[in-house]
Amino acid sequence: MDQAELHRIEARCIQEEPPRCRAACPLHVDAREFCTLLAAGRIDAAWAVLCRTLPLPGILARICDAPCRAACLRSQCGGGIDMAALERFCATSARKTPPLHPLPSRGKNAAIIGCGLPALAAAWDLARKGFAVRIHCRAMADIPASAYLEDCPTDIVERELERLRTLGVTFVEDAEPAPKLVEALLAATDAVFVDPRACPAEALGIPAPDPTTLETTRPGLFAAPSPAPGTSPAALAALGRKAALSIERLMQGASLTAGREREAPFASRLYTNISDVAPLAPVPVPPTGYDDTSAREEARRCLRCECMECVRHCAYLEHFKGYPKTYARQIYNNASIVMGTRQANTLINSCMLCGLCEELCPEHFPMVALCLDARRDMVQRGKMPPSAHEFALRDMTFANGESCAVAKLQPGTTTNRWVFFPGCQLPASAPDAVERTYAHLRETLPGGTALLLRCCGAPAHWSGRQDLFAASVDALRADWEALGTPTLVTACPTCAQMLREHLPEANTASLWAVLGQYGMPPSPAVPAGPLCLHDPCTTRHDDALRAQVRTLCAALGITPTEPSLSGRLTECCGFGGLLADANAPLAATVAARRAEKLDGTGLTYCAMCRDLLAQAGKPCLHLLDLLFPADDTPPTPRPAPGISKRRENRVRLRERLMDTLWREANAPRPEHESLAIAYTPAAKEIMEKRRILESDVARTLFAAKRDGHILARAGSPRRLATHRPSTVTYWVEFECDAAGGYVVHNAWSHRMRVSGVES
Ligand code: SF4
Ligand code: SF4
Ligand code: SF4
């Protein structure tokens, strides 16, 4: 990703857009922050927000007629925030006014003709920027009427004029706003601004100036057409601010027009979801104005508009304390680092690639592509630590290895119209159900049904290993072609998605559609209690698949309830994108959050979803548990098998099928399986957490026994064995039992190599 691409992506996220109030305010007061502070009772801090933005805040905060109010999003649910009344309250109640800090003198002077709000505001801004400013007005007594200050207490007006004087602004009382005066001032000063309330541009015989800059055809002269009657005081002050900015740019030799697109009120792109916001009417303003309590109550009605639509629903986006725009920048910086720590690796690897945020985002921010591309890029450049997804990739290799993989025609046939492809997770989670399903398909599908047991390659795809993924798809294609290109019957929604996108030449059909069309199993069993359907995130864009599942449920006589986020808005269980490998605690949080949203017993049709939800403590069934139960009793939610059991399940399934269906001899079991090993509950838990398989432990103990390399501690029955079968070194703490077996107490692994030590 280059800088231009980064900016293009960043711009898709509108979270940093101003709220409607601020965009609509001619002076862009941050009403959201103002209300937040006021709601918290922080009157002085709220007043400081106004003083930061408003010229002559003591006056404007009292007289503004709040054009922001109509734009306020609250107006769609109860009524816009009464900013005018709140500002008046704040102006009268604040105890401290922040001091003015004008910039040092620039050695430039400006003259202003007139004393309306545009003139006073221009003088305020120019004086604060270090200009010497002189205001020419007919009489000081004109000021209240020219600036709509009749209702403003005299002492307040006096105080603000005094602050202008403190900034170095001087007033001259004897001038008439005539062309002659303009000429004289142009000759004597660097720039002149004519307040349109004193003398509109047309009265000076000057063509209406460009409204963006107020620059006239006379160099150094700024003027404006006469403002429409009823123009908001804030808009009049904004006119003066515009003139001040143009004069400053002219003095600096800078462009008068660049970057001023959002100076006037504009429509913000910020999206704020108000579908759950209850209407709430404005707090009435008493004749004396708001008091502390009523002001706080009114300020509390502010919705603090922001988007965060994606973050609200994604534990991953929430976890890193930002939002996609900030993440895009972090990912870009991470990729650009030459030396030093890549702080965003975990951020990149923790995205579930589930696409919920993109679905929710009004701008469809491409978070999935951002993270997946970053993974691919870093893997390709050798910048991604191999440990991040190593376990999942080893598991994939194992599922595709000779002890698990199968590609065989239905026994007794030579060609098959169909091939059952359950993927690698279903055989790991529910091998018996796979066996029963395959038996049913062999009986019901016309034209014969082959069996293909292997992984679809999703782990390689998600980890950014394009080389491994391509090899995996090639191997899958070769198996499928060797079987005579039958229609692939998928049970796993991730497989369905992978095949659709990466093996488009193959015909695929979901198991649920096939069962619906060619016949359901004879004795499905349905539990009595309520079921809640969880759609796997890989079905987000597969409306047909989700519909097939619901049709099947109806055929079973059940209408499961659905969580608030389902269908296209379904949430990931924490498996997607290999989150559990990159960030196991976050994966557990994600699974727990999803589990909480399912009422009663969960029902799903992805083996990983089922297992992760079960692991999070949610009683959860797979659709196959209902369709192909072990016996005729209603299925009960089974616990999640651990990582070792999953592998064992795959191996045993293959052995059983080879034995009973194809009558082929299985390869002998590896030697390390002959050891009698027991595990303490603590050891089991640790191994699960550290992703150490029982087979890794068995291999380590076998190697230690064979080589006699065992560390013993004097006076303790505990022993330590170590083994480095690949890039990982394993350590196992054990003791021997009386029967010659092992009891394992602890295990750990690392990728470091201690230099100078032979192993
Ligand atoms: S009340 Fe006036 S100055 Fe205040 S935010 Fe609204 S438009 Fe801006
Ligand atoms: S609800 Fe609050 S933040 Fe939103 S537009 Fe209104 S004042 Fe601004
Ligand atoms: S939904 Fe998320 S990514 Fe989209 S604009 Fe909002 S904060 Fe940004």
Side-chain angles (χ1 to χ4, degrees), residues 21 25-29 31 50 54 64-69 83-84 87 234:
C21 50
C25 168
L27 294 158
H28 305 306
V29 166
L50 298 183
L54 295 177
C64 186
D65 58 348
C68 57
R69 193 173 186 186
M83 276 297 291
E87 289 187 10

Side-chain angles (χ1 to χ4, degrees), residues 667-717:
R669 291 293 184 86
E671 283 176 307
H672 62 258
E673 289 195 15
S674 61
L675 299 182
I677 307 172
Y679 296 86
T680 63
K684 282 210 157 200
E685 203 181 313
I686 283 172
M687 286 164 58
E688 191 73 22
K689 208 162 127 195
R690 296 179 181 161
R691 306 216 150 209
I692 297 173
L693 296 161
E694 289 179 13
S695 55
D696 295 329
V697 169
R699 268 197 203 93
T700 304
L701 291 175
F702 187 82
K705 186 180 173 191
R706 184 191 58 209
D707 305 336
H709 290 163
I710 294 174
L711 289 171
R713 194 191 300 154
S716 167

